[in-house]
Amino acid sequence: GENLEEAIAREVYEETGLHTLSTEYRMSDVWPFPRSLMICYRVTVDENEPIVHHDGEIRAARWFTAEQLREAIAISEEHSNSGQDDPAKLELPGTNAVARRMLDEWLAEKP
């Protein structure tokens, strides 16, 4: 009974406690379950709202500037390549995942 934008706003709130201010369709891809589709939107929220993990799907969430994200990606990849086990490292989606493509797209827009 809800359209995609309403479903996105509900999911964002359920998983982070953040209210969606706007949504923008970005891309879609097949999901590894039968007859499923992943639909990706870029969502704008009020970054001053506290993040609250309502349903336990998300273990951690935090804000990054483009520079901080680039640095975190570099450190994460360095640790992955060295075989080091670092519980504090950033967990990233694989480079072929739409979530990673969205991160890379966002970073390409930032100086």
Side-chain angles (χ1 to χ4, degrees):
E2 58 191 358
N3 64 35
L4 288 173
E5 292 76 15
E6 291 167 336
I8 290 161
R10 178 182 46 77
E11 283 291 324
V12 168
Y13 181 76
E14 286 176 0
E15 295 180 14
T16 65
L18 299 172
H19 293 92
T20 299
L21 302 176
S22 68
T23 59
E24 178 187 359
Y25 172 80
R26 302 308 289 176
M27 64 186 77
S28 65
D29 201 359
V30 294
W31 184 249
F33 299 105
R35 298 179 301 277
S36 296
L37 181 68
M38 180 176 285
I39 302 168
C40 304
Y41 277 74
R42 183 178 290 179
V43 176
T44 303
V45 297
D46 179 352
E47 63 189 57
N48 294 311
E49 280 189 279
I51 297 171
V52 179
H53 306 290
H54 285 276
D55 66 7
E57 276 190 50
I58 295 178
R59 289 190 306 235
R62 61 185 184 202
W63 301 113
F64 288 88
T65 64
E67 181 180 333
Q68 290 168 330
L69 183 56
R70 283 187 192 97
E71 183 177 322
I73 289 171
I75 291 169
S76 179
E77 289 173 351
E78 180 181 304
H79 285 209
S80 293
N81 293 335
S82 71
Q84 294 177 13
D85 186 23
D86 181 357
K89 83 175 184 179
L90 182 64
E91 293 181 44
L92 296 168
T95 56
N96 62 339
V98 291
R100 180 59 183 267
R101 291 196 324 244
M102 288 183 64
L103 284 173
D104 292 341
E105 178 185 273
W106 182 78
L107 286 173
E109 296 171 8
K110 304 296 178 189

